[in-house]
Structure formats: C-alpha cells, structure tokens
C-alpha cells in the first residue's frame, strides 16, 4: 500500500463562476447572454453552490478529503469600480469558516478567469490600470478574510491567454476550417464550432462593454506580449499586497501545463513549448511560496509540430488524450526548475463513465506518489472538479465532477470516484 504523508493535502477544486450561479456582474455572464454568443449555453444558476456550499463541502469531508480549493469572485466583491460589497465578504467568510470547522484546508484563488464587467470596459487584461485595480481588490479581500486563508493562488492559469492566442491564430488563419477540428486542441473549454459567427459576436461584445470590440480583453482573449507582462505584474502586485498584510499566507500562481513529449525531430518544438508555457514565467515567481501545477493531458511533437491523436488514441470527453501519466511527468519537469513546494491545484478527466475517472485518479496519483519518493516537494493534490459544472464555452455537457448534479432540482449525486479519492487520503493507493 502506497501511503501519502499525513499532512499531504488531498481534496477537490471548483471556481466561483463555474459552480455558484448568477454571477451577474461578471464579464462572462455578459458574454454568455450576447447574440451570436460563443457559449453553448449560459451559466444561469450553475449548480447553486453559492447556496449549497455547506452540503458540497460536507460531501467532501464525509468522503475523507481534507482540502478544498475554490475561488473568490471579484465581480461579487467589487461589482462596480471602487464599491466593495460587505455582504459578499460575509458569504466567503462563511465558506472559509465552514472549511475550518471541518478541518478542511482552504486554498483560495483570487482570480479564476471571470472578472467584473467594469474592468473589461476599463481595458481589461491588456491595460496597465488593471494592475492597480487588482491590487485594490486583493487588499480588500485579505484585510477582511486573510486570517482564515492559509494558501492563496493569485491568478488561475496565468499562461492560458498565450495558449488561446496560438489556437485562435490557427482557426482565424484557415478560412476553410470550420473550427470543429480544433476542439480538443486546447486544454480549457472553448467552442471553435462557432467560427462563422465570430464577427457578429465581436461586434456585440464591443457594444456590451461600451468600447471598441478590438479592445475587449477578457481573461480568455488572445493575449499580446504586453498582456503577458501585465498579468505577471498583477501577480507580483497581489503577492506584495498579501505579504505586507499577512506574511504567513502562502502565495503562488497556477499554470496550465501539458506534458510535452518529443518524437525524433520534435525536440525543438518541445523546448519552445516548455519555454512558452512555463520557463518564461519563472523570473516573476522567484518570491512565491509554492507553484500550482494544473495538468490534464500530454502533447506529442514530431518534426512538423504537434501530432494529432489518431483513431487508436484513447480520448477524454474533452477530445484530448486520456493520459493520466502526464501529471507525474509534468511535476518532474517542473521540479528541475522549481525547488519550492508544488501543489497540484488541478488534474482531472471529463467522462461519463466514472470507472474511467477512478482509473485516471489512481494512475495520476501513482505518478504523484512516485514524485514524492524521488524527493520532489509535492504538498497537495486537488482533483478538478468537486462537482460537474459549467465548462466555460462548452456549457454543462462536460462532466469532470466527483459529484453529479441534477440541475433541475439541484440534487447532488456523489460518484464512486469521490469515495475512491477519499480512501486514498485515508488508506493510500
Ligand atoms: C480551468 C478550469 C476548467 C478545467 C477543465 C482548467 O483550465 O482552470 O476552470 O474547468 O481546466 O477544462
């Protein structure tokens, strides 16, 4: 039996916009409602985690898990510029207190993709002013709730904009491509079947945010090099604000990291991707306390670039390869360049067959355990996701959760994989 250290964190993750419901002051809510929207469906009530968080965290506790990663929603805390909402702080205080009462370690993400609508109208994630605005929001949250938060992820998947830029270039550049073929080529839930409607959608975007559509820069917009710099400056700003107020809080960022593998001749592509996904960011992270690693699959590179899966490849419901060993490989690669603690802040699989999820968790955590044996400082693992939820532009069809939800009644149905993960915490692999 392979046991994890007693203080090793094992749990599950969510993000506010994907589970809470009615995130009405956010940019994503606005985009979901537009004519010609890229979203397959709007988030609406989501899985009503806003009201059912106790039930959900209780299910995690009953399974034997001891860690919950969730995000605080900026659009709730600061629905309009400079106006902070005390009631929303109280809501998150209750979530945090409920975690502590149940011996669950909370890992809080301050920004998980969705932003207040107003920030986009002010120039969003390509605007210098966002650095100050983000700092103000972080200062407010930490001044109110800091004592209850041991770990903070400032920004979720800070590197996703670059991944999105690459794939958008490919979709837009190829007029004969409907976009369909690109589903599965990006890690997060984006909808490329809608290419034909893009122009109409972008125009509506501009109108909704009251600015030139070319300047609408949400967190899922393709990002320029300047935008990359701004996001890292936001991270640095958040870290210094947090540390100034509460040096005990452990601060990190999370990155979406593929396991890049080379066939003969593909080595240069692997080097390039590893630089773009990870190594480029390291200078900004030197003062961080931990790194959040998020991994879902691998990418294979041949002499002509990425080799797409063929009909023999086992795929997940997201369309990319089912390959749980990617996680251990990524941790090993990261550990060559990062000597401080690593938390696996996301790893999981979308599938309708829960046995596949059990197998995925078993194989992925076997990789994590091997990394521990090799002396790598991994201190936690939160499976994505606690609940089936809103997978961004792909809507509610994707099923990553350890708990299924009937959204007509908001009834929870824990899956076998939830108790399987809990047993790993209790007894080992
Ligand atoms: C994101 C989640 C998303 C998950 C599954 C990650 O990119 O952080 O919000 O739901 O992947 O696609």
């Amino acid at each position: 039996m392979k046991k994890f250290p007693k203080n090793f964190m094992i749990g599950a993750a969510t993000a506010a916009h994907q589970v809470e419901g009615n995130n009405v002051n956010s940019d994503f809510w606005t985009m979901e409602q537009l004519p010609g929207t890229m979203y397959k469906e709007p988030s609406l009530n989501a899985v009503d985690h806003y009201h059912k968080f106790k039930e959900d965290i209780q299910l995690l506790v009953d399974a034997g898990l001891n860690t919950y990663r969730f995000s605080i929603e900026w659009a709730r805390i600061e629905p309009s510029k400079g106006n902070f909402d005390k009631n929303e702080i109280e809501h998150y205080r209750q979530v945090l207190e409920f975690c502590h009462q149940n011996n669950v370690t909370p890992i809080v993400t301050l920004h998980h993709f969705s932003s207040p609508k107003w920030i986009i109208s002010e120039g969003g994630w390509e605007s210098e002013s966002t650095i100050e605005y983000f700092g103000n929001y972080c200062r407010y949250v930490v001044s109110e709730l800091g004592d209850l938060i041991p770990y903070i992820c400032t920004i979720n998947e800070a590197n996703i904009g670059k991944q999105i830029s690459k794939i958008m270039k490919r979709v837009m550049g190829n007029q004969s491509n409907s976009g369909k073929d690109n589903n599965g080529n990006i890690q997060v839930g984006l909808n490329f079947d809608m290419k034909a409607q893009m122009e109409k959608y972008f125009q509506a975007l501009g109108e909704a945010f009251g600015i030139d559509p070319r300047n609408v820069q949400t967190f899922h917009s393709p990002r320029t090099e300047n935008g990359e710099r701004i996001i890292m400056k936001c991270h640095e700003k958040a870290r210094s604000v947090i540390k100034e107020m509460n040096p005990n809080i452990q601060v990190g960022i999370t990155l979406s990291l593929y396991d890049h593998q080379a066939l003969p001749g593909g080595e240069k592509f692997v080097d390039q991707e590893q630089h773009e996904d990870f190594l480029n960011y390291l200078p900004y992270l030197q003062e961080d306390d931990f790194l959040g690693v998020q991994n879902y699959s691998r990418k294979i590179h041949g002499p002509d670039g990425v080799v797409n899966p063929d009909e023999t490849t086992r795929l997940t419901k997201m369309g990319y390869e089912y390959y749980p060993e990617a996680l251990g490989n990524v941790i090993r690669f990261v550990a060559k360049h990062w000597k401080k603690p690593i938390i696996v802040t996301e790893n999981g699989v979308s599938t309708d067959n829960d046995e596949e999820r059990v197998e995925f968790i078993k194989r992925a955590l076997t990789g994590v355990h091997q990394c521990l044996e090799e002396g790598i400082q991994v201190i936690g693992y939160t499976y994505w996701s606690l609940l089936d939820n809103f997978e961004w532009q792909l809507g509610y069809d994707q099923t990553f959760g350890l708990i299924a939800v009937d959204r007509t009644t908001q009834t929870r149905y824990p899956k076998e994989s939830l108790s399987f993960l809990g047993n790993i915490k209790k007894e080992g692999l």
Side-chain angles (χ1 to χ4, degrees):
M1 181 69 78
K2 298 186 194 82
K3 281 218 149 217
F4 282 88
K6 210 166 181 295
N7 55 359
F8 190 84
M9 299 183 278
I10 301 191
T14 62
H17 189 78
Q18 296 177 268
V19 293
E20 287 180 348
N22 297 301
N23 190 13
V24 296
N25 295 310
S26 69
D27 53 351
F28 283 90
W29 181 274
T30 304
M31 292 188 287
E32 290 157 24
Q33 311 283 334
L34 293 178
T37 181
M38 313 275 287
Y39 284 76
K40 290 197 171 168
E41 56 187 320
S43 54
L44 305 177
N45 287 332
V47 290
D48 200 21
H49 183 63
Y50 190 82
H51 297 107
K52 293 176 92 74
F53 71 88
K54 286 192 179 165
E55 181 180 341
D56 296 335
I57 297 171
Q58 192 64 55
L59 286 168
L60 172 146
V61 170
D62 292 347
L65 298 169
N66 71 350
T67 308
Y68 181 42
R69 172 177 179 240
F70 64 96
S71 71
I72 291 182
E73 180 59 55
W74 186 2
R76 288 190 192 277
I77 302 292
E78 193 180 359
S80 59
K81 188 166 136 189
N83 295 314
F84 295 98
D85 189 333
K86 270 249 172 243
N87 292 333
E88 296 293 359
I89 285 287
E90 285 319 307
H91 168 76
Y92 290 110
R93 189 189 304 286
Q94 285 176 28
V95 178
L96 286 160
E97 280 173 351
F98 193 71
C99 286
H100 289 293
Q101 282 154 20
N102 288 286
N103 298 319
V104 167
T105 303
I107 300 177
V108 168
T109 309
L110 289 174
H111 186 272
H112 194 125
F113 295 166
S114 47
S115 311
K117 184 180 175 190
W118 65 264
I119 203 96
I120 308 306
S121 303
E122 296 268 336
W125 293 96
E126 292 278 343
S127 164
E128 208 74 35
S129 55
T130 298
I131 304 169
E132 204 53 42
Y133 292 136
F134 187 59
N136 295 343
Y137 154 68
C138 295
R139 183 173 295 108
Y140 183 67
V141 170
V142 175
S143 67
E144 294 284 336
L145 302 174
D147 292 347
L148 296 168
I149 312 180
Y151 294 94
I152 289 185
C153 306
T154 56
I155 296 177
N156 181 65
E157 295 189 345
N159 60 348
I160 199 80
K162 201 184 271 173
Q163 291 183 12
I164 293 172
S165 304
K166 281 191 232 165
I167 194 149
M168 288 296 263
K169 246 184 232 156
R170 221 154 86 193
V171 178
M172 302 310 274
N174 182 354
Q175 295 306 320
S176 62
N177 180 346
S178 70
K180 258 202 169 80
D181 301 344
N182 287 292
N183 292 323
N185 264 326
I186 180 98
Q187 181 251 292
V188 73
L190 297 188
N191 175 17
F192 291 103
D193 298 355
M194 311 282 285
K195 188 185 165 195
Q197 296 196 40
M198 270 186 190
E199 234 166 85
K200 187 168 152 202
Y201 175 62
F202 283 127
Q203 193 186 331
L205 261 187
E207 281 163 21
F209 290 103
I211 56 175
D212 184 318
R214 283 168 300 189
N215 296 334
V216 173
Q217 294 294 337
T218 70
F219 208 80
H220 279 174
S221 300
R223 199 163 296 147
T224 66
E225 281 306 318
N226 190 44
E228 287 284 309
R229 183 188 57 80
I230 285 171
I231 285 181
M232 296 320 284
K233 289 279 166 204
C234 285
H235 168 66
E236 289 184 328
K237 179 84 188 174
R239 186 183 59 212
S240 71
V241 161
I242 297 164
K243 286 292 183 185
E244 187 189 298
M245 279 189 294
N246 194 332
N248 293 329
I249 297 176
Q250 300 297 288
V251 182
I253 202 165
T254 84
L255 296 174
S256 158
L257 298 172
Y258 278 100
D259 171 18
H260 293 291
Q261 299 185 0
L263 298 175
E267 296 81 358
K268 59 178 186 297
F269 293 111
V270 168
D271 283 354
Q272 190 185 332
E273 296 273 353
Q274 288 177 336
H275 259 96
E276 289 180 0
D277 273 7
F278 178 58
L279 298 170
N280 279 341
Y281 297 97
L282 281 175
Y284 298 97
L285 311 183
Q286 292 311 307
E287 287 167 42
D288 287 13
D289 300 304
F290 69 91
L291 180 72
V293 166
Q294 314 205 155
N295 167 264
Y296 287 87
S297 189
R298 70 171 162 183
K299 269 196 179 171
I300 299 177
H301 304 264
D304 303 320
V306 174
V307 179
N308 284 326
D310 62 22
E311 54 299 337
T312 64
T313 313
R314 183 173 176 191
L315 299 179
T316 75
K317 202 176 170 185
M318 286 288 283
Y320 46 68
E321 187 179 357
Y322 179 104
Y323 185 69
E325 283 67 30
L327 179 59
N329 295 342
V330 161
I331 294 173
R332 250 175 237 115
F333 162 68
V334 164
K336 283 192 201 146
H337 306 274
W338 177 259
K339 300 298 169 196
K340 295 187 201 177
I342 293 170
I343 303 177
V344 178
T345 39
E346 285 184 31
N347 170 253
V349 62
S350 176
T351 172
D352 290 332
N353 174 356
D354 197 47
E355 281 173 23
E356 281 206 314
R357 187 177 347 271
V358 166
E359 179 193 338
F360 190 95
I361 291 173
K362 190 170 179 192
R363 287 168 53 184
L365 276 170
T366 300
V368 174
H369 196 271
Q370 273 160 9
C371 290
L372 285 173
E373 283 180 341
E374 290 163 25
I376 299 172
Q377 246 195 98
V378 191
I379 61 167
Y381 172 97
T382 51
Y383 175 85
W384 182 270
S385 174
L386 180 62
L387 300 145
D388 284 344
N389 65 42
F390 182 69
E391 181 56 29
W392 309 110
Q393 292 181 1
L394 298 182
Y396 289 102
D397 273 358
Q398 295 297 323
T399 43
F400 282 92
L402 300 169
I403 301 170
V405 181
D406 175 347
R407 293 184 58 246
T408 55
T409 58
Q410 296 293 6
T411 311
R412 273 56 182 154
Y413 298 96
K415 305 179 191 175
E416 192 53 41
S417 48
L418 175 65
S419 50
F420 181 79
L421 185 62
N423 267 331
I424 296 181
K425 173 67 204 149
K426 288 187 277 194
E427 287 162 27
L429 270 166

